[in-house]
Amino acid sequence: MSTLMMTIPNFVFIARWVGILFLLYYGTLSFINAISSAPKGWENAVADVNKKSSAINKAKNSSVFLTTLAFSLFNPHVYLDTFLILGNIGSRLPLESRFSFILGASAASFFWFILTGLGAKFASRFFQNIKVARIFDFIVALAMFLIAYGLYENSAIL
């Protein structure tokens, strides 16, 4: 990351504004979805999940395994988290602390994904209610706007 920042002097400025624009766009989509008379995606998502869950029950274990593997390996956050964030932090630690860091980061990641999956299963029944879905979209929009504002405020300082 530091090499990239030295190579492109305006990298932080550009990245910050791309982030602000993305957050404003995403927040606007969520806000429009929260106030529209027919929110996009919620009914389709529930129908799609119901259809896919019956298909998954019929699928072979190998196809489920391969789909899961592809979903994991093609996820850009895997590489972002592993190489950029954890690699950057881990490389700064003393050599004798790196194994403990790797073990702790792996355990945290494992529990994070298990709890995220269980939480999604638990929360899915609440999101079948359109009012809950609208409230969630409004909260997402508000969060995106607040984060974008925070990035903007920090750009005024730097």
Side-chain angles (χ1 to χ4, degrees):
M1 185 63 87
S2 61
T3 305
L4 189 59
M5 290 171 53
M6 284 194 277
T7 308
I8 305 170
N10 290 328
F11 176 75
V12 173
F13 176 80
I14 293 167
R16 181 177 289 122
W17 279 101
V18 167
I20 289 169
L21 292 174
F22 171 78
L23 291 166
L24 290 175
Y25 173 74
Y26 191 66
T28 301
L29 288 180
S30 291
F31 184 74
I32 289 169
N33 213 33
I35 64 171
S36 68
S37 60
K40 295 179 183 174
W42 291 104
E43 294 87 3
N44 295 339
V46 171
D48 194 41
V49 166
N50 290 335
K51 184 172 61 173
K52 285 182 181 176
S53 65
S54 66
I56 287 173
N57 290 335
K58 297 175 187 173
K60 293 182 180 179
N61 287 340
S62 61
S63 67
V64 172
F65 175 75
L66 290 175
T67 302
T68 304
L69 188 63
F71 204 28
S72 299
L73 294 177
F74 295 138
N75 180 354
H77 291 284
V78 169
Y79 304 105
L80 177 69
D81 292 347
T82 304
F83 296 114
L84 288 179
I85 297 172
L86 293 178
N88 191 7
I89 294 169
S91 67
R92 295 178 187 188
L93 294 173
L95 195 55
E96 61 274 2
S97 300
R98 290 182 186 174
F99 181 73
S100 298
F101 176 77
I102 291 170
L103 203 58
S106 299
S109 179
F110 176 78
F111 286 114
W112 167 258
F113 285 110
I114 293 292
L115 292 174
T116 300
L118 291 173
K121 182 179 178 183
F122 174 75
S124 66
R125 64 178 163 207
F126 296 111
F127 286 107
Q128 292 177 5
N129 181 340
I130 197 71
K131 289 181 182 178
V132 173
R134 286 179 194 271
I135 291 168
F136 181 73
D137 270 331
F138 183 76
I139 291 170
V140 167
L142 184 63
M144 296 300 110
F145 292 147
L146 287 173
I147 294 169
Y149 179 73
L151 280 175
Y152 173 76
E153 281 297 308
N154 281 339
S155 70
I157 294 170
L158 298 176

